[in-house]
Amino acid sequence: MARIIAFIVLLIPALIAGAGIKFMRDTLYGNLISPFPWLWLQFLIGLIFSIIGIGFFAGYLLHRDRKRGRVAPRFQKNGDTKEMKQ
């Protein structure tokens, strides 16, 4: 059950990022989608959606890898390096 919940939590930002990429693509081809009155606003919303979706996924991966100790020392939290623990 926990794996299904984790999958859903990661699926939602992936769908948001996909929608953002679609909005930006439609803007480049000149297709205006109905809730947006201007093409530049459609592109801006698409860019924001893409950044939020990809950022959430990247943050999740960084958090998971920090917990497992698989990140380079520069990506570890302050005071959490192996040299300080010894």
Side-chain angles (χ1 to χ4, degrees):
M1 184 69 182
R3 289 182 186 252
I4 293 174
I5 293 171
F7 177 71
I8 291 171
V9 166
L10 288 178
L11 182 66
I12 293 170
L15 292 176
I16 291 172
I21 291 169
K22 181 191 181 313
F23 291 158
M24 290 189 296
R25 184 196 66 198
D26 287 347
T27 301
L28 292 177
Y29 288 121
N31 296 333
L32 187 64
I33 300 174
S34 65
F36 303 108
W38 305 289
L39 283 174
W40 63 267
L41 182 63
Q42 179 177 318
F43 186 84
L44 184 66
I45 297 295
L47 183 66
I48 291 170
F49 277 13
S50 297
I51 290 171
I52 289 173
I54 294 170
F56 183 87
F57 190 71
Y60 171 78
L61 289 178
L62 180 63
H63 174 73
R64 186 190 68 177
D65 287 346
R66 276 183 182 161
K67 253 185 358 184
R68 295 179 181 180
R70 294 183 181 175
V71 294
R74 70 178 188 172
F75 292 116
Q76 292 177 354
K77 288 187 176 182
N78 294 339
D80 197 27
T81 59
K82 291 182 179 179
E83 294 84 19
M84 297 181 95
K85 287 184 179 178
Q86 293 177 349

